[in-house]
Amino acid sequence: MKVAIVGAGWAGLAAASECLERGLSVTVFDAAHHPGGRARAVQDPALGELDNGQHLLIGAYRQTLRIMRRDVGPSVIDNHLRRLPLWLRSADRSFEIRQTAANNTPTAQAWMLLRARGLSLTDKWQVARFLRRLSQRQQDGLPSHGALTVAQWLALEHQGDRSCRWLWYPLCIATMNTAPDQACARLFARVIRDSLLNPEPGATDLLIPGVTLGQLWPETIAKRVTARWGHVVKKITPVDQGVQIDGEAFDACVLATPPANTCRLLAPETQFAELCRALEAFDYRSIATCYVEVSEHFPLPAPLLMFDHGRFNSNLTPSPQSPSLNARAHWVFDRPAILNEPPKAQLAFVISDANNLNEPSDLALAKSLVEQLEHALERRERAQVVNARCFVEKRATFAAVPELIRPAVKTGHERLVLAGDWTDTGYPAVLEGAVRSGIAAVDALMGHA
């Protein structure tokens, strides 16, 4: 079976991997000249090779880790992913929660919550009751509250200001890249259940890549397929016995492009009119990552620190302690502490839901972010910004809002299927959702092989 895959992001490459595993012939088309899609590496003359965004995986990414181990081997993954037990620590030490047990049992969860800093006993009790209620609910999440936002749901569940500020809002923004007063509660419930409430050993672990994401897995798959790099697909034509890609015949096609591109390719075919209407309803959120080289490396208290999520859009909110200080970043990574070949003094700041970010230059943003960090840490030493490179991925994720209609992988034509984190994976726009969609797409094709 000769399969065309349009799009070499993680969804398309997962589909390619599954096709290869099943003995199918694979040709990958992508407008870029390298694999990875939105998660791609860039060579910076001053800072070296950088991902276009600082990424983080978790141990609950079952399919992602399975397919990576199969394709590149467990030792490679173990060597290139820095594994940390769940550890959320604010830069100003107002909050800290840390998993110290090997297994995520109810007892371990209770002990982790009891030892958390920054929450009152009432807060902890309310969080514990909330998690217990959620663990006992049906697998479809919130059947009676499908239109609720995360903020509304947390209010109904009596989650206090501190619990939201330091635990639920950071998790919501980090996993869904959508502000809590806009994000879908049903989807967030799935995130919590599959991470914090996942009993599998290591499920709550944070996995920080020590190399670029391309080196971690995509480049390996790209070498095993026929690749048409720099090929912008202009026309997809379903036919009785398969699909034509710009006039070239294939037995089947996995269309693994973003919603707007998918709609552009399918719109000429009237049978996909309803699908295209659903895709046109998608809205998007951006993510900004600013890599900063500083004059001197002062190791952070943890490889990953969070900033105050007291307000939904903290990237636009002046700090009350210092009105001149624009509190922007949500997270900061200590890159010398996590990379296999560490730079001398480099930090990575992440700003989620960054649609309104406006800064005159990378250097100006970097200085503001370093000032934010030093203010939170109350440091007397002042590191100077030497170099900076900031990436703003305008359409990094879809807006994970309530009642969004996300299509299944099947299109109605048995030899043309969809893949992408925006399909109906049950997850927000994360790598695990992308990988699952690629696997599901090939499963759908094989049902008609």
Side-chain angles (χ1 to χ4, degrees):
M1 189 176 188
K2 183 180 176 184
V3 180
I5 297 177
V6 182
W10 281 61
L13 293 175
S17 174
E18 283 296 292
C19 286
L20 292 172
E21 182 69 12
R22 302 178 196 207
L24 307 181
S25 173
V26 181
T27 301
V28 174
F29 296 82
D30 199 280
H33 293 273
H34 41 71
R38 284 167 289 159
R40 61 189 182 276
V42 176
Q43 187 68 37
D44 184 88
L47 301 180
E49 192 169 29
L50 307 168
D51 277 317
N52 70 320
Q54 177 64 58
H55 297 279
L56 179 71
L57 292 75
I58 62 172
Y61 284 5
R62 183 186 307 161
Q63 293 301 324
T64 303
L65 295 174
R66 178 190 67 82
I67 206 168
M68 290 167 62
R69 288 194 176 98
R70 182 184 72 193
D71 293 337
V72 300
S75 62
V76 175
I77 299 304
D78 293 341
N79 292 336
H80 291 341
L81 279 175
R82 172 76 184 277
R83 181 179 286 269
L84 296 173
L86 177 64
W87 188 7
L88 302 179
R89 185 192 190 282
S90 67
D92 63 3
R93 298 205 63 185
S94 294
F95 174 80
E96 183 173 20
I97 189 168
R98 189 172 186 179
Q99 178 66 274
T100 57
N103 298 322
N104 190 34
T105 63
T107 300
Q109 295 169 7
W111 181 242
M112 176 180 67
L113 187 57
L114 184 64
R115 296 175 67 241
R117 179 195 299 133
L119 302 179
S120 68
L121 286 177
T122 300
D123 294 327
K124 295 174 182 180
W125 173 246
Q126 290 172 334
V127 169
R129 291 184 63 202
F130 171 53
L131 290 174
R132 180 173 176 80
R133 286 195 297 271
L134 184 58
S135 68
Q136 294 173 339
R137 287 190 175 133
Q138 298 177 359
Q139 288 301 309
D140 60 351
L142 302 169
S144 61
H145 298 301
L148 284 181
T149 67
V150 169
Q152 290 170 336
W153 180 44
L154 294 175
L156 288 175
E157 293 286 351
H158 307 291
Q159 296 303 288
D161 290 343
R162 283 183 294 250
S163 302
C164 291
R165 178 177 188 167
W166 293 112
L167 181 60
W168 301 127
Y169 291 172
L171 290 178
C172 174
I173 294 174
T175 57
M176 301 177 70
N177 197 38
T178 306
D181 61 344
Q182 301 171 2
C184 175
R186 185 188 297 273
L187 203 54
F188 190 50
R190 175 70 181 271
V191 169
I192 296 172
R193 180 179 291 114
D194 286 3
S195 57
L196 292 181
L197 296 176
N198 192 326
E200 295 181 5
T204 60
D205 288 356
L206 307 178
L207 308 178
I208 309 176
V211 295
T212 66
L213 278 189
Q215 295 171 322
L216 197 59
W217 174 70
E219 292 175 4
T220 299
I221 294 300
K223 293 175 182 177
R224 296 175 56 193
V225 301
T226 300
R228 307 280 180 83
W229 303 119
H231 185 129
V232 179
V233 173
K234 295 180 174 61
K235 188 175 183 180
I236 293 180
T237 307
V239 294
D240 290 341
Q241 299 302 317
V243 179
Q244 292 182 356
I245 309 296
D246 289 342
E248 184 177 354
F250 290 88
D251 297 314
C253 172
V254 178
L255 184 51
T257 53
N261 292 350
T262 299
C263 190
R264 172 182 64 83
L265 290 168
L266 296 183
E269 301 292 330
T270 57
Q271 63 180 304
F272 302 126
E274 184 177 349
L275 172 59
C276 287
R277 281 193 292 272
L279 297 180
E280 289 170 350
F282 276 65
D283 195 9
Y284 303 91
R285 296 290 183 268
S286 63
I287 297 177
T289 300
C290 191
Y291 297 97
V292 184
E293 180 185 353
V294 290
S295 56
E296 185 175 357
H297 180 237
F298 302 107
L300 299 183
L304 167 64
L305 294 177
M306 58 186 277
F307 292 103
D308 188 353
H309 285 57
R311 296 182 63 88
F312 301 150
N313 295 316
S314 61
N315 54 322
L316 299 176
T317 305
S319 167
Q321 292 81 15
S322 177
S324 64
L325 179 63
N326 288 326
R328 299 175 183 269
H330 293 101
W331 309 88
V332 60
F333 291 74
D334 187 347
R335 285 173 62 78
I338 61 178
L339 294 184
N340 290 358
E341 297 181 7
K344 292 181 180 179
Q346 201 177 102
L347 304 168
F349 294 88
V350 177
I351 307 168
S352 300
D353 194 10
N355 285 24
N356 297 322
L357 185 65
N358 184 20
E359 199 64 55
S361 68
D362 287 3
L363 195 59
L365 178 58
K367 289 180 178 178
S368 175
L369 297 177
V370 170
E371 184 183 358
Q372 177 188 354
L373 175 63
E374 292 179 339
H375 176 81
L377 293 174
E378 298 181 341
R379 279 181 173 166
R380 295 182 179 180
E381 305 91 342
R382 294 288 174 173
Q384 300 299 311
V385 174
V386 178
N387 288 297
R389 178 70 181 272
C390 301
F391 299 92
V392 181
E393 193 71 20
K394 293 293 186 181
R395 293 193 170 196
T397 69
F398 63 86
V401 297
E403 300 186 311
L404 175 67
I405 299 175
R406 297 166 64 184
V409 297
K410 293 184 178 181
T411 64
H413 188 284
E414 64 180 23
R415 295 303 181 96
L416 175 61
V417 294
L418 305 175
D421 57 21
W422 48 271
T423 59
D424 191 11
T425 65
Y427 287 88
V430 294
L431 292 178
E432 177 71 0
V435 169
R436 284 175 180 254
S437 76
I439 296 171
V442 177
D443 285 340
L445 281 183
M446 295 303 290
H448 298 286

